[in-house]
Amino acid sequence: MASVVCSLDGDGMVQIARKTVTESVGKGCQDTSAAVVQLGAAASAAAGVPEVPRLEDLLQQLRDVFEREKAQGITLGSQQHQQQPESFKRMNDGVQGLLRAYAASNSLDWQKYALFNDLHYVRNLVEANDDFELIVLCWKTGQVSRVHNHADSHCWLAVLGGEMREVQYQQAPAPPAVHGAAVPEDAAYVEATHSTEMRVGDCGYINDFLALHTVGCYGPEAERCRSEGGAGPYVPQGGVTLHLYAPPIKRVKIYDNDTVTERIPGFYSKGGVRV
Ligand SMILES: N[C@@H](CS(=O)O)C(=O)O
Ligand SMILES: [Fe+2]
């Protein structure tokens, strides 16, 4: 992305110089990160914030969150009335705290799972069990998911690298032009309700009762802001997000061109190995 960013300068020499600075700033951040993490860990422990220095720690602590709820005989699920509100609050606080802490830990062990594709964003499975699946999604700049639901699963997402945007949608009535005409059986209309810019360490939650959404990594502008002082590891290719779905998603609805279709989501890699 550095060359796209720097083409705004209109000067080849400046482009090369800026690229070098960008890369060395990114590297410098990583060189000092161990000290930052140590200081951060001491402060976090004192403040009661979980310490999640490695992906393996994240997985273990996530499993613990789910086990604690199940041990109380609680049914987990995102549909209204499916899970007691107090249980959801505990789980949501726990999961968001862990995802934020991991994303802020400067750990780069997720990079093993960060496979990209030129044509579309890809889903890289870290772990799936009966309760949840943890997936690293990789987005080249310009790649955006279509409007979709989450199949009655809880969906948490945290940004590990780059800058992302989530746009939420609600189902909408048929537009006036369609009134009077026969509406196709698979017709579905949506309208955007709000948009959130997400940076490294930000974490969000969505389920079908709340909204539909798209997520995307947009344009060079986001990368320019990041490379000029934004936080997080340098992700020259776009963005990386970490998603937790509970239970694992089997089938989603895609809302595209005023129609809805169902799709079984697949994986581009599992355990860091291309499938
Ligand atoms: N839910 C999407 C990614 S995102 O756009 O939230 C997926 O799992 O493919
Ligand atoms: Fe999604």
Side-chain angles (χ1 to χ4, degrees):
M1 283 312 304
S3 59
V4 175
V5 169
C6 297
S7 67
L8 297 175
D9 294 326
D11 177 326
M13 290 303 289
V14 173
Q15 287 179 25
I16 293 164
R18 178 78 67 82
K19 187 170 193 298
T20 307
V21 170
T22 302
E23 285 171 354
S24 64
V25 167
K27 194 157 182 294
C29 288
Q30 287 173 24
D31 287 344
T32 55
S33 63
V36 173
V37 169
Q38 276 174 11
L39 288 173
S44 301
V49 175
E51 286 178 36
V52 193
R54 295 174 310 150
L55 202 46
E56 195 43 56
D57 302 305
L58 174 65
L59 279 164
Q60 188 52 52
Q61 294 190 51
L62 287 170
R63 289 184 209 112
D64 292 346
V65 167
F66 283 80
E67 289 305 326
R68 274 200 294 275
E69 294 308 309
K70 289 197 301 180
Q72 299 180 43
I74 288 169
T75 308
L76 311 179
S78 74
Q79 281 175 297
Q80 224 187 354
H81 310 308
Q82 207 174 13
Q83 184 171 354
Q84 297 161 5
E86 322 81 69
S87 165
F88 172 69
K89 183 178 181 329
R90 268 196 308 273
M91 211 163 83
N92 189 34
D93 289 349
V95 170
Q96 291 217 25
L98 291 172
L99 293 179
R100 283 206 178 89
Y102 174 70
S105 72
N106 287 328
S107 171
L108 296 178
D109 53 0
W110 51 264
Q111 289 187 338
K112 167 184 168 190
Y113 302 94
L115 277 65
F116 287 78
N117 180 277
D118 281 345
L119 301 179
H120 47 75
Y121 81 92
V122 287
R123 313 170 82 243
N124 301 290
L125 181 67
V126 179
E127 170 169 313
N129 55 44
D130 289 346
D131 295 325
F132 65 80
E133 58 190 349
L134 186 69
I135 309 177
V136 168
L137 272 67
C138 293
W139 315 75
K140 291 203 168 187
T141 301
Q143 294 180 345
V144 182
S145 56
R146 288 177 291 172
V147 179
H148 60 274
N149 77 349
H150 296 88
D152 292 334
S153 288
H154 294 292
C155 163
W156 287 274
L157 83 98
V159 179
L160 295 178
E163 295 193 353
M164 305 296 299
R165 181 182 307 151
E166 185 211 31
V167 182
Q168 295 196 346
Y169 295 79
Q170 296 292 336
Q171 301 232 37
V178 181
H179 285 313
V183 177
E185 209 171 276
D186 59 354
Y189 305 94
V190 297
E191 61 191 7
T193 52
H194 86 250
S195 164
T196 310
E197 304 300 320
M198 299 182 74
R199 291 169 173 249
V200 171
D202 289 347
C203 179
Y205 171 83
I206 193 168
N207 66 33
D208 293 351
F209 179 69
L210 295 176
L212 306 165
H213 77 170
T214 63
V215 172
C217 183
Y218 291 84
E221 189 59 17
E223 182 61 20
R224 184 183 65 75
C225 296
R226 192 219 57 77
S227 68
E228 290 180 356
Y234 179 44
V235 182
Q237 302 191 81
V240 178
T241 50
L242 185 63
H243 296 231
L244 184 92
Y245 300 124
I249 290 187
K250 299 276 186 277
R251 192 175 276 272
V252 293
K253 287 187 172 154
I254 307 276
Y255 298 79
D256 205 10
N257 287 325
D258 295 342
T259 56
V260 58
T261 50
E262 284 206 339
R263 193 170 156 269
I264 298 171
F267 294 110
Y268 192 64
S269 71
K270 291 183 179 178
V273 179
R274 183 82 173 83
V275 290

